[in-house]
């Protein structure tokens, strides 16, 4: 059975999710931290694909002609606790081979305002 789980619901909990059983009958499961990191990894891959296909529009993401962003800004929900923010930070920094070394946080409400202001300029 498939269902949607928001990354917000995974952060800060030590919940394991069953993936079923393998051929030997052993149950396979993953924890919420792994799933969160996997989601962030896929988001970074999609970002890289988009930026590389629009390379001329985003020169700031390249160093020596290679995709190499150094920092990220993450919008966090207004109700996130310090432990959930720390978990989110760990998920981003735990991504294998991630170029991201510095994180900045902004609350979702502020991110919406920034997006609105920037969309009005364009």
């Amino acid at each position: 059975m498939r269902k949607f789980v928001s990354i917000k619901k995974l952060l800060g909990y030590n919940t394991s999710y069953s993936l079923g059983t393998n051929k030997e009958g052993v149950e396979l499961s993953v924890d919420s931290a792994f799933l969160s990191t996997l989601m962030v990894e896929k988001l970074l891959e999609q970002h890289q694909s988009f930026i590389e296909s629009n390379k001329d529009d985003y020169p700031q993401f390249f160093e020596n002609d290679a995709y190499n962003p150094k920092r990220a800004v993450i919008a966090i929900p207004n109700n996130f606790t310090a432990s959930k923010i720390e978990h989110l930070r760990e998920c981003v920094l735990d991504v294998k081979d991630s170029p991201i070394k510095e994180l900045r946080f902004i609350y979702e409400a502020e991110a919406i305002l920034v997006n609105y202001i920037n969309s009005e300029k364009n």
Side-chain angles (χ1 to χ4, degrees):
M1 187 171 118
R2 295 177 191 212
K3 66 179 185 174
F4 173 80
V5 178
S6 169
I7 193 170
K8 289 187 210 182
K9 305 278 190 234
L10 296 173
L11 295 170
Y13 298 101
N14 292 324
T15 306
S16 290
Y17 296 91
S18 176
L19 300 177
T21 56
N22 64 11
K23 292 178 183 177
E24 291 80 32
V26 176
E27 184 176 348
L28 303 172
S29 64
V30 295
D31 64 9
S32 59
F34 174 79
L35 287 176
S36 299
T37 300
L38 188 60
M39 285 185 196
V40 171
E41 183 177 333
K42 292 303 173 189
L43 286 170
L44 286 171
E45 285 178 14
Q46 289 177 345
H47 181 263
Q48 180 175 356
S49 176
F50 175 81
I51 295 298
E52 287 179 343
S53 66
N54 297 286
K55 193 174 184 176
D56 294 337
D57 296 332
Y58 302 99
Q60 67 270 27
F61 289 105
F62 294 90
E63 183 177 285
N64 297 328
D65 210 35
Y67 174 80
N68 193 21
K70 304 232 184 317
R71 59 187 78 80
V73 177
I74 298 175
I76 57 171
N78 295 334
N79 63 348
F80 257 31
T81 61
S83 65
K84 285 189 175 192
I85 293 170
E86 178 60 22
H87 192 187
L88 179 57
R89 186 187 75 77
E90 290 170 3
C91 290
V92 174
L93 296 179
D94 284 350
V95 171
K96 185 181 176 186
D97 300 326
S98 172
I100 305 297
K101 303 298 180 225
E102 179 184 339
L103 294 177
R104 303 284 173 107
F105 295 98
I106 185 172
Y107 284 108
E108 280 180 328
E110 294 167 320
I112 292 167
L113 179 62
V114 168
N115 184 53
Y116 178 75
I117 291 169
N118 284 331
S119 66
E120 288 294 310
K121 291 180 182 178
N122 296 328

